[in-house]
Amino acid sequence: MSFPLVCLGNPLLDLQSDVTPEYLQKYDLKADDAILVEEKHMPIFEEVLKMDNLNVVAGGAAQNTARGAQYILEPNSVVYFGSVGRDVYADKLNEANAKYGLRTEYQVQDDIATGKCAALITGSHRSLATDLAAANHFKETHLQKPENWKLVENAKFFYVGGFHLTVSPPAIELLGKHAAETNKVFAINFSAPFIPQFFKEPLDNSLQYVDYVIANESEAAAYAESHDLADKANDLEAVAKHVAQLPKANTKRPRTVIFTHGLEPTIVVTHDHTTGENSVKSYPVRELAAEKVKDTNGAGDAFAAGFMAGLVQGKDLDKSIDVGQWAAALSIQEIGPSFPFPKQTYA
Ligand code: 26A
């Protein structure tokens, strides 16, 4: 079977709940951030499980994108790789993925629990505190199994969550190299400010393979600060230009950097490495009445889902961005990183 889109990331179950700003403060969490938990954060999971407004939903940033892209595309279009445990949390993820028709090829850990993310909602903000657990044990050897590598070889598009840079840079390198060598499309998401901040080296190394960078304004600012561009941290266009022109393994394709910016327009810079030309564009977001927004957990993943689905469908850059903005608007009207059923179609 050939699935055009292969995604790689950390499969997590989201334990989502509304909390007060004081609750975030107690654990030193910012309102709109994503972190890996330390020992001091561990009580959060037990506390969240007892909260009245708990929602347990399938999460994991790239898995959300994979599910969302499969939601839009025809059946058997997307395969997702990641690592889970052998437990009821993984059952929950399998259930959600089956509903969307997403094919998964999990690496399963016998003695480690499936990863979880406390998605702590304060109004339109979400603070994500993640215990990767089994997700942290993904190995590139899983991709190299003949039956899995066949799926890689048959794919034409790759999407990797930047979050996975904390887990398996060798797996990302395998996919990136393969994409560059075979002139396929390779996309990466910065995922969170701490990725360009603390995983600068593996990120910098993977960028040579990347055709599409997707990130939001705070991740762009974190990138600027860790790359001697601190004076440009708030200038999305300048940061996008910088990233777009970084060295590229496959010069047959340009590099396009897409920075979303909440309700502000999305900034897009494309750099052609053969001509040295830059193109800069900006796209307004789809307006949505504030009362329609349930929560913003997964909004960025949904944008990436729509964008990747657009590319797979052969749409041009403008249209693919629009599918991304449509998908993000759909997802924020649902609880958690989810999409409405019965399925809606892009128009
Ligand atoms: C390595 N970390 C911290 C993470 C994540 C993550 N997905 C992968 N790795 N931290 C949070 N998430 C997911 O991000 C989604 C929202 O964009 C959450 O599971 C949530 O569904």
Side-chain angles (χ1 to χ4, degrees), residues 144-175:
Q144 289 167 316
K145 285 185 173 171
E147 64 277 23
N148 289 338
W149 194 251
K150 196 92 223 132
L151 291 165
V152 170
E153 284 182 331
N154 288 341
K156 298 273 187 295
F157 299 82
F158 298 90
Y159 177 87
V160 173
F163 278 133
H164 203 72
L165 288 162
T166 71
V167 174
S168 181
I172 297 173
E173 169 119 26
L174 262 185
L175 295 182

Side-chain angles (χ1 to χ4, degrees), residues 101-116:
L102 174 66
R103 161 102 173 245
T104 53
E105 290 300 337
Y106 287 144
Q107 184 172 12
V108 181
Q109 312 292 334
D110 282 320
D111 314 314
I112 312 168
T114 298
K116 54 192 184 297

Side-chain angles (χ1 to χ4, degrees), residues 9-14 34-37 57-62 64 67 116-117 119 126 128-132 163-164 166-167 191-192 194-195 296-301 337:
N10 308 323
L12 304 173
L13 193 68
D14 284 2
I35 62 145
L36 287 166
V37 289
V57 282
N64 298 336
R67 268 197 330 277
K116 54 192 184 297
C117 170
R126 94 284 181 271
L128 308 169
T130 293
D131 177 11
L132 282 173
F163 278 133
H164 203 72
T166 71
V167 174
S191 294
F194 84 85
I195 296 296
T296 58
N297 181 19
D301 305 333

Side-chain angles (χ1 to χ4, degrees), residues 220-221 224-225 228-240 242:
E225 268 152 25
D228 292 325
L229 302 164
D231 54 324
K232 302 199 175 94
N234 295 316
D235 183 345
L236 286 183
E237 187 179 315
V239 183
H242 175 88

Side-chain angles (χ1 to χ4, degrees), residues 97-315:
N97 293 331
K99 180 173 169 192
Y100 285 72
L102 174 66
R103 161 102 173 245
T104 53
E105 290 300 337
Y106 287 144
Q107 184 172 12
V108 181
Q109 312 292 334
D110 282 320
D111 314 314
I112 312 168
T114 298
K116 54 192 184 297
C117 170
L120 307 171
I121 311 289
T122 47
S124 62
H125 306 286
R126 94 284 181 271
S127 190
L128 308 169
T130 293
D131 177 11
L132 282 173
N136 210 12
H137 295 264
F138 187 86
K139 293 283 175 295
E140 75 277 15
T141 48
H142 185 68
L143 289 176
Q144 289 167 316
K145 285 185 173 171
E147 64 277 23
N148 289 338
W149 194 251
K150 196 92 223 132
L151 291 165
V152 170
E153 284 182 331
N154 288 341
K156 298 273 187 295
F157 299 82
F158 298 90
Y159 177 87
V160 173
F163 278 133
H164 203 72
L165 288 162
T166 71
V167 174
S168 181
I172 297 173
E173 169 119 26
L174 262 185
L175 295 182
K177 257 205 174 111
H178 168 78
E181 284 168 6
T182 54
N183 193 24
K184 295 175 179 176
V185 172
F186 189 76
I188 203 164
N189 197 310
F190 282 178
S191 294
F194 84 85
I195 296 296
Q197 230 168 357
F198 301 120
F199 293 84
K200 178 175 188 277
E201 204 195 305
L203 174 63
D204 289 350
N205 180 53
S206 66
L207 281 175
Q208 61 183 306
Y209 305 117
V210 175
D211 302 304
Y212 293 95
V213 172
I214 304 174
N216 68 24
E217 77 283 11
S218 58
E219 295 149 12
Y223 181 93
E225 268 152 25
S226 62
H227 289 78
D228 292 325
L229 302 164
D231 54 324
K232 302 199 175 94
N234 295 316
D235 183 345
L236 286 183
E237 187 179 315
V239 183
K241 276 184 177 157
H242 175 88
V243 176
Q245 56 76 44
L246 292 171
K248 196 166 186 300
N250 174 17
T251 52
K252 292 197 190 94
R253 293 180 188 278
R255 180 181 295 117
T256 298
V257 179
I258 302 164
F259 286 152
T260 60
H261 191 185
L263 298 173
E264 304 286 316
T266 301
I267 301 296
V268 180
V269 172
T270 299
H271 181 84
D272 185 323
H273 284 70
T274 50
T275 63
E277 272 171 41
N278 274 335
S279 116
V280 181
K281 284 187 159 188
S282 130
Y283 302 80
V285 301
R286 289 187 177 227
E287 266 185 56
L288 192 66
E291 66 271 16
K292 285 192 161 178
V293 179
K294 286 235 171 75
D295 65 69
T296 58
N297 181 19
D301 305 333
F303 172 83
F307 180 74
M308 292 308 296
L311 292 184
V312 171
Q313 288 170 331
K315 292 187 162 65

